[in-house]
Amino acid sequence: MSSLYDQIYAVIARIPSGCVATYGQIALALGMPNGARTVGWAMRHCPKGLPWHRIVNAQGKSSLSAEGRDLQRALLADEGVHMDLEGRVDLKRYRWQEV
DNA sequence: TGCGTGACTTGAC
DNA sequence: CGTCAAGCCACGC
């Protein structure tokens, strides 16, 4: 089942621990430079086992609500990624660089 | 088939 | 740095 969703999930699953990626970056990896919204739409399904906490918007901020943001912050902190109380991370430092 | 919606992005004020 | 608007893609009804 190589649906578009599976492709998105596969890319997200490829994100190494201790790093974060933006929706646009994932979309770009799939060949959709402007498909960031599609990625977010897919993320809405939140499959189990998916490191969704490594996904942030282009501003390096969590697009989730306060609750999700708090959980994301905890998960990232566990991976060594420091996230501000505002849900903001240093993309210049933690942004996932495709290899 | 067509419109509305959404965990987005970028540029402009 | 904050907010507003337009553009973009895929899916549900």
Side-chain angles (χ1 to χ4, degrees):
Chain A
M1 301 180 23
S2 304
S3 310
L4 178 58
Y5 279 19
D6 294 327
Q7 302 265 336
I8 296 172
Y9 300 145
V11 174
I12 295 169
R14 262 164 60 187
I15 302 173
S17 177
C19 293
V20 297
T22 67
Y23 297 89
Q25 172 140 25
I26 296 166
L28 187 65
L30 294 172
M32 295 185 277
N34 294 15
R37 301 194 71 174
T38 307
V39 177
W41 207 93
M43 291 301 294
R44 215 173 81 131
H45 290 243
C46 284
K48 193 176 182 179
L50 191 73
W52 56 271
H53 56 273
R54 293 179 191 156
I55 311 299
V56 295
N57 58 25
Q59 296 178 28
K61 271 195 150 186
S62 177
S63 305
L64 304 169
S65 303
E67 297 181 24
R69 190 194 317 154
D70 182 59
L71 178 59
Q72 180 176 30
R73 184 167 68 81
L75 291 168
L76 286 176
D78 187 57
E79 296 186 350
V81 179
H82 178 71
M83 176 180 268
D84 292 355
L85 296 175
E86 296 181 6
R88 188 168 70 198
V89 300
D90 191 341
L91 281 178
K92 300 188 310 258
R93 183 172 158 159
Y94 300 112
R95 195 174 193 253
W96 172 44
Q97 297 174 76
E98 298 180 64
V99 273

